[in-house]
């Protein structure tokens, strides 16, 4: 099914909480002990990380020798500032160390990190780069093709929905890392080289809009003879994206209703007239 999208307004989607802003999970053999997790505060107020922990697995300190956690309590991230958790050879120096002998997995159960409140068990943010991790998923895991120990790259949170790997080195490089649609596959880009920032790094005020670049369609999936799933490249406005008249399907089939997903605001389900076998 080919769908013509007439209009769909994008949203700024700046997080109102601390986010995981960059992850370097595969240190090259020539530069060991350089893995890190960078955190960013996209709000205009300092945030105390009371009762928060950075974890790589649900059962920390378990029989799995690779699991680890870092207590973030006692740390403060200044407004628009950063906090760096990293191994011993990371530069600039990490604010908090990853436990000695520990690191980030490339795939499998520990291929994710999350910030969690140890009192309430509420997850503040989660980034996964393998859907098989045990921490769960925020939308879909970010998977990076061509990421090897001889070709080190990091995954970095976007400044805005339209940010690309190129723009995060250029026009968007000083706009923070505040974009958060709750879908890792849409919120991150592949950084050509890791660029860790710690609490002494310059603050970066986040992009807050207006977003003037229209969203594009990444994929279409026919769910049934009367429904189509539209996957956009970014979160879209609920009212505009849920207006059926903003979509056109050729071949004599009408779009009767449109509903944007609340959990994944980059997805819209269209209800259509019955589609007979063929191309639309």
């Amino acid at each position: 099914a080919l769908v013509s999208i007439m209009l769909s307004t994008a949203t700024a989607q700046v997080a109102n909480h601390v986010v995981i802003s960059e992850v370097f999970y595969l240190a090259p053999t020539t530069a060991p002990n350089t893995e890190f997790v960078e955190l960013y505060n996209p709000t205009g107020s300092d945030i105390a990380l009371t009762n928060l922990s950075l974890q790589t697995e649900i059962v920390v300190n378990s029989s799995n020798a690779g699991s680890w956690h870092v207590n973030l309590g006692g740390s403060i991230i200044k407004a628009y500032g950063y906090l760096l958790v990293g191994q011993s050879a990371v530069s600039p120096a990490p604010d908090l160390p990853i436990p000695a002998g520990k690191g980030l997995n490339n795939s499998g159960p520990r291929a994710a990190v999350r910030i969690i409140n140890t009192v309430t068990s509420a997850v503040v943010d989660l980034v996964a780069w393998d859907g098989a991790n045990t921490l769960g998923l925020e939308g879909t895991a970010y998977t990076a093709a061509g990421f090897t120990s001889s070709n080190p790259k990091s995954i970095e949170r976007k400044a805005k929905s339209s940010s690309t790997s190129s723009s995060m080195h250029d026009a968007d490089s000083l706009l923070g890392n505040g974009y958060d649609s709750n879908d890792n596959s849409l919120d991150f880009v592949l950084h050509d080289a890791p660029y860790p920032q710690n609490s002494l790094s310059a603050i970066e005020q986040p992009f807050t809009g207006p977003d003037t670049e229209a969203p594009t369609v990444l994929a279409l999936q026919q769910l049934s003879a009367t429904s189509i799933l539209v996957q956009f490249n970014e979160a879209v406005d609920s009212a505009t994206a849920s207006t059926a008249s903003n979509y056109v399907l050729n071949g004599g089939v009408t779009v009767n209703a449109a509903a944007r997903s609340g959990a994944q605001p980059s997805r819209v389900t269209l209800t259509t007239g019955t589609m007979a076998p063929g191309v639309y």
Side-chain angles (χ1 to χ4, degrees):
L2 302 178
V3 180
S4 172
I5 308 299
M6 297 174 63
L7 175 66
S8 198
T9 306
T11 56
Q13 293 291 118
V14 177
N16 61 359
H17 55 79
V18 172
V19 294
I20 297 167
S21 51
E22 188 173 356
V23 181
F24 185 46
Y25 61 83
L26 181 55
T29 53
T30 55
N33 297 314
T34 55
E35 296 178 358
F36 66 83
V37 180
E38 176 193 277
L39 310 182
Y40 173 64
N41 176 5
T43 77
S45 301
D46 294 354
I47 295 180
L49 304 182
T50 307
N51 299 326
L52 298 186
S53 175
L54 184 70
Q55 299 182 349
T56 60
E57 200 164 12
I58 291 178
V59 183
V60 295
N61 294 330
S62 67
S63 58
N64 191 329
S67 66
W68 56 266
H69 73 286
V70 172
N71 180 16
L72 302 176
S75 297
I76 295 176
I77 304 186
K78 57 191 174 185
Y80 311 135
Y82 293 88
L83 187 83
L84 188 61
V85 180
Q87 293 180 320
S88 58
V90 175
S91 179
D95 298 292
L96 295 169
I98 289 177
K102 305 290 186 179
L104 297 164
N105 269 30
N106 309 332
S107 60
R110 294 185 305 283
V113 287
R114 70 178 178 182
I115 304 170
I116 189 170
N117 188 307
T118 57
V119 174
T120 65
S121 297
V123 175
V124 177
D125 197 29
L126 186 152
V127 175
W129 48 96
D130 187 339
N133 79 87
T134 57
L135 292 184
L137 294 173
E138 188 173 278
T140 304
Y142 183 92
T143 54
F147 200 123
T148 68
S149 59
S150 60
N151 186 26
K153 297 177 184 290
S154 67
I155 57 174
E156 183 183 27
R157 183 178 294 277
K158 296 177 180 180
K160 53 185 179 181
S161 61
S162 58
S163 295
T164 63
S165 296
S166 177
S167 72
M168 289 303 292
H169 283 281
D170 190 13
D172 299 339
S173 62
L174 299 179
L175 297 179
N177 305 94
Y179 180 71
D180 188 14
S181 70
N182 293 321
D183 189 331
N184 291 164
S185 67
L186 299 178
D187 294 345
F188 283 78
V189 296
L190 196 61
H191 217 335
D192 290 338
Y195 184 67
Q197 294 163 278
N198 65 9
S199 60
L200 299 179
S201 299
I203 64 171
E204 295 185 11
Q205 190 161 345
F207 173 82
T208 56
D211 185 349
T212 58
E213 296 185 42
T216 60
V217 176
L218 286 181
L220 298 169
Q221 179 184 358
Q222 185 175 0
L223 302 176
S224 71
T226 58
S227 62
I228 298 170
L229 176 65
V230 183
Q231 174 67 66
F232 288 97
N233 69 325
E234 58 179 312
V236 289
D237 174 74
S238 179
T240 310
S242 298
T243 301
S245 59
N246 286 336
Y247 304 85
V248 173
L249 184 64
N250 68 1
V253 176
T254 59
V255 177
N256 299 320
R260 192 202 71 170
S261 169
Q264 294 181 282
S266 61
R267 295 184 177 184
V268 177
T269 300
L270 305 180
T271 301
T272 71
T274 301
M275 294 178 284
V279 177
Y280 293 88

